[in-house]
Amino acid sequence: PASDQFNIEFLGDKQKDVTVEVYNMVGELVKSISSVGLTSHINIDMTDETTGVYIINIKTAQETFTKKLSLVK
């Protein structure tokens, strides 16, 4: 579970052009963060969101990952 923020860290090589999208359980996009260029991590601030379950889509040039996040305040 996360409270106000969470970090996504890329192990190994840095990733290029990463997009992270956060959806609530209704399917509404609540956050979208894009990083252009090489990066080793992305920080997502969820202080303005309510307690609940969110779906995280992480898109890189090579892959797309989908994860579930529990936000507890």
Side-chain angles (χ1 to χ4, degrees):
S3 57
D4 291 331
Q5 297 184 43
F6 67 94
N7 292 306
I8 299 170
E9 187 172 338
F10 303 103
L11 300 177
D13 294 334
K14 293 181 179 180
Q15 295 295 314
K16 183 176 181 184
D17 302 337
V18 177
T19 300
V20 178
E21 297 173 330
V22 181
Y23 294 88
N24 61 20
M25 291 307 291
V26 181
E28 298 171 323
L29 179 67
V30 296
K31 297 273 181 191
S32 181
I33 308 289
S34 293
S35 174
V36 178
L38 295 177
T39 187
S40 60
H41 72 280
I42 293 178
N43 182 44
I44 307 290
D45 183 5
M46 298 289 286
T47 55
D48 55 341
E49 301 303 327
T50 60
T51 295
V53 177
Y54 293 84
I55 302 299
I56 313 300
N57 284 335
I58 305 164
K59 300 176 186 176
T60 69
Q62 296 83 19
E63 300 177 89
T64 299
F65 302 93
T66 301
K67 299 292 180 183
K68 187 168 32 171
L69 171 74
S70 296
L71 185 65
V72 180
K73 296 205 174 193

